[in-house]
Amino acid sequence: MTSRKVVELFYDVVSPYAWVGFEIMCRYRNVWNIDLKLRPALLGAIIQGAENKPPVVVPKKFKYITTELMRSRDYFGVPLHPPSDAFKVMFQKGSLSAMRFVVAVQERENGGDKQVEQVSRELWRRIWSEDKDITQPASLSEAAVKAGLSDSDIKELLELSDTDEIKDKLKNTTQAALDYGAFGLPMMVCHVNGKQDMFFGSDRFEVMAHCIGEKWLGPQPVKAAASM
Amino acid sequence: MTSRKVVELFYDVVSPYAWVGFEIMCRYRNVWNIDLKLRPALLGAIIQGAENKPPVVVPKKFKYITTELMRSRDYFGVPLHPPSDAFKVMFQKGSLSAMRFVVAVQERENGGDKQVEQVSRELWRRIWSEDKDITQPASLSEAAVKAGLSDSDIKELLELSDTDEIKDKLKNTTQAALDYGAFGLPMMVCHVNGKQDMFFGSDRFEVMAHCIGEKWLGPQPVKAAASM
């Protein structure tokens, strides 16, 4: 007996690698026999909670990652373009208000996760494609408009973002990620037949596919499946 | 006009991920249109030279890597089995004498790299399959015997290992890795049509294949190619 496979995807829109993981998983949920659960969390709190250091504090890693992101853009087809001051954007400005907003969108959405998917993508696009702010309410509004939300919805969501309910939800999801063993994002937890497997990063999709009994078809699985 | 592709593989037998990278590249050199150049280097000096920290200093990373290595064993078909005290083995005992020995084997070998490949693999097997020492001359001898070297060759190689010539070669290769931007191992530098691309780790083979214009056929390319 095979029960439905569930993949929890923990992400933060401040992380470019999380964007790659997000897009790949959003593509594969139409190909693999999985339920994808979007789990917005806070990268800064995970790095701190795990007593980790961001890789960019090592200059040679920073240089490598810059090159590597451009390869990921080309290979995975995610329009990454580093902001002018990536360190400041990621580790000083951060994503607290943006991720609270994403959680609010998720909380309000019924019958699916199309809105939370679109809003997340538009926030990534701002920070990791267009070098735009994601900390101010006006920035969140602009992203939400692009994701197709109405002005009245956005007003309500901005208010909701600031409630204890939403703050606690973001904290709890972040804690859940830490409890699974996260030390960074993206992090995927695959639940298959009562077993759970945690994967970190955006470079183990092929191994993950193998572990959950699905087939890795490369970064554009829909095209690959169509041509088979 | 396409010139021959060259892949330099920088490795140290103290690193389990380098073992994965080594085996995959040794398999693919029979599949891809590449010249593989084995470049034995010293991981400890690279980590220090890059002002990096080994990932295992973060407890959650250490735990994750332990799980991840078992997945790599199964998926990539490399018989990894962590030694009882991996931290001590990797960062206290280290691999200085072992890597000098590997460099000596390479220096002495004519017309190919079969011996250096075999000796490297036997050293990895000792440390990362069988929880055995690789620091003592007797340990190096045992590995070399398994790799098919004669007693007289081994005696000569142990003496050669201790010369300035070999010490300097290991230093120079390690410095070359740092100059390419290494902060850990394995590290692959691909030279294609006058362009060079550096890849770190054992989780970007698919992207690497794409960058050098070759096809990724999974961890067992020879079987995959035979069935195509």
Side-chain angles (χ1 to χ4, degrees):
Chain A
M1 283 243 313
T2 306
S3 56
R4 184 85 174 159
K5 300 167 194 172
V6 171
V7 178
E8 294 181 79
L9 169 66
F10 293 84
Y11 69 94
D12 183 326
V13 299
V14 84
S15 157
Y17 286 119
W19 195 6
V20 174
F22 176 89
E23 294 298 347
I24 294 292
M25 293 314 303
C26 286
R27 292 172 199 168
Y28 269 92
R29 71 162 147 185
N30 301 314
V31 178
W32 290 344
N33 177 34
I34 58 169
D35 278 333
L36 182 65
K37 307 275 185 207
L38 299 180
R39 300 279 263 144
L42 199 64
L43 177 60
I46 288 173
I47 286 180
Q48 202 170 26
E51 295 173 38
N52 197 1
K53 294 250 185 302
V56 294
V57 300
V58 178
K60 279 177 193 278
K61 272 195 192 172
F62 183 77
K63 188 157 177 258
Y64 179 71
I65 286 173
T66 308
T67 307
E68 235 247 341
L69 284 175
M70 294 304 91
R71 282 181 198 145
S72 293
R73 176 192 65 195
D74 297 340
Y75 188 65
F76 292 105
V78 177
L80 293 164
H81 183 87
S84 48
D85 189 344
F87 190 85
K88 185 176 170 193
V89 161
M90 291 187 74
F91 302 105
Q92 290 170 5
K93 296 180 78 179
S95 55
L96 183 60
S97 57
M99 293 314 291
R100 282 179 180 161
F101 188 72
V102 170
V103 171
V105 173
Q106 187 173 47
E107 184 63 15
R108 260 266 326 257
E109 186 169 16
N110 291 318
D113 57 8
K114 203 69 208 157
Q115 280 185 352
V116 69
E117 178 184 330
Q118 292 287 11
V119 169
S120 301
R121 184 174 288 123
E122 292 303 331
L123 288 167
W124 263 305
R125 203 191 305 276
R126 286 183 72 83
I127 177 171
W128 277 102
S129 269
E130 299 167 354
D131 199 2
K132 289 183 180 162
D133 173 77
I134 60 159
T135 65
Q136 300 302 314
S139 308
L140 304 176
S141 296
E142 276 180 38
V145 166
K146 287 207 172 169
L149 276 68
S150 71
D151 289 349
S152 63
D153 281 347
I154 293 169
K155 186 169 176 291
E156 203 182 298
L157 286 164
L158 284 170
E159 282 163 14
L160 183 59
S161 300
D162 205 37
T163 61
D164 284 347
E165 179 198 356
I166 294 301
K167 290 177 185 174
D168 286 345
K169 278 208 183 267
L170 180 59
K171 267 186 213 159
N172 293 343
T173 305
T174 302
Q175 188 57 49
L178 282 165
D179 292 344
Y180 277 129
F183 47 86
L185 294 175
M187 194 262 284
M188 278 82 80
V189 182
C190 303
H191 304 265
V192 180
N193 292 328
K195 230 179 110 252
Q196 73 192 29
D197 278 308
M198 191 268 263
F199 293 86
F200 166 70
S202 61
D203 41 25
R204 291 285 179 191
F205 302 122
E206 186 182 347
V207 179
M208 189 173 100
H210 177 77
C211 285
I212 67 174
E214 297 285 346
K215 195 168 171 168
W216 174 244
L217 299 166
Q220 302 287 353
V222 180
K223 284 184 207 165
S227 70
M228 274 167 86
Chain B
M1 283 249 309
T2 307
S3 56
R4 183 86 173 159
K5 299 166 194 172
V6 171
V7 178
E8 294 181 80
L9 168 67
F10 292 85
Y11 68 94
D12 183 327
V13 298
V14 84
S15 158
Y17 285 119
W19 194 6
V20 174
F22 176 89
E23 294 298 347
I24 294 292
M25 292 313 304
C26 286
R27 292 172 199 167
Y28 269 91
R29 71 164 148 185
N30 300 315
V31 179
W32 289 344
N33 178 33
I34 57 168
D35 279 333
L36 181 66
K37 307 274 184 207
L38 299 180
R39 301 277 263 144
L42 199 65
L43 178 61
I46 287 173
I47 286 180
Q48 202 171 25
E51 295 173 37
N52 197 1
K53 293 246 186 302
V56 295
V57 301
V58 178
K60 279 178 194 275
K61 272 194 194 174
F62 183 77
K63 189 159 176 258
Y64 179 70
I65 286 173
T66 308
T67 308
E68 234 248 340
L69 284 176
M70 295 303 91
R71 283 182 197 144
S72 292
R73 176 192 64 195
D74 298 340
Y75 188 64
F76 292 105
V78 177
L80 292 164
H81 183 86
S84 48
D85 189 344
F87 190 85
K88 185 176 170 194
V89 161
M90 289 187 75
F91 301 106
Q92 289 169 5
K93 296 180 77 179
S95 54
L96 183 61
S97 58
M99 293 314 291
R100 283 179 179 161
F101 188 72
V102 170
V103 172
V105 172
Q106 187 173 48
E107 183 63 16
R108 261 266 325 255
E109 186 169 15
N110 290 318
D113 57 8
K114 204 68 209 159
Q115 281 186 352
V116 69
E117 178 184 330
Q118 292 288 13
V119 169
S120 301
R121 184 174 288 122
E122 292 304 331
L123 289 167
W124 264 304
R125 203 190 306 276
R126 287 184 71 84
I127 177 171
W128 277 101
S129 268
E130 299 167 355
D131 199 0
K132 290 183 180 161
D133 173 78
I134 60 157
T135 66
Q136 300 301 315
S139 308
L140 304 177
S141 296
E142 276 180 38
V145 166
K146 287 206 172 169
L149 276 68
S150 71
D151 289 348
S152 63
D153 281 346
I154 294 168
K155 187 168 175 289
E156 202 180 303
L157 287 164
L158 285 170
E159 281 162 16
L160 183 59
S161 299
D162 205 36
T163 61
D164 285 346
E165 179 197 355
I166 294 301
K167 291 177 185 175
D168 286 345
K169 278 208 184 267
L170 179 60
K171 268 187 212 158
N172 293 343
T173 306
T174 302
Q175 188 57 49
L178 283 164
D179 292 344
Y180 276 130
F183 47 84
L185 294 174
M187 194 263 284
M188 277 82 79
V189 182
C190 303
H191 304 265
V192 180
N193 292 330
K195 231 178 109 254
Q196 72 191 31
D197 279 308
M198 192 269 263
F199 294 84
F200 166 69
S202 62
D203 42 25
R204 290 286 180 190
F205 302 122
E206 187 183 345
V207 179
M208 190 173 99
H210 177 77
C211 285
I212 67 172
E214 297 285 346
K215 196 170 171 166
W216 174 246
L217 299 166
Q220 302 288 354
V222 179
K223 285 184 206 162
S227 70
M228 274 169 85

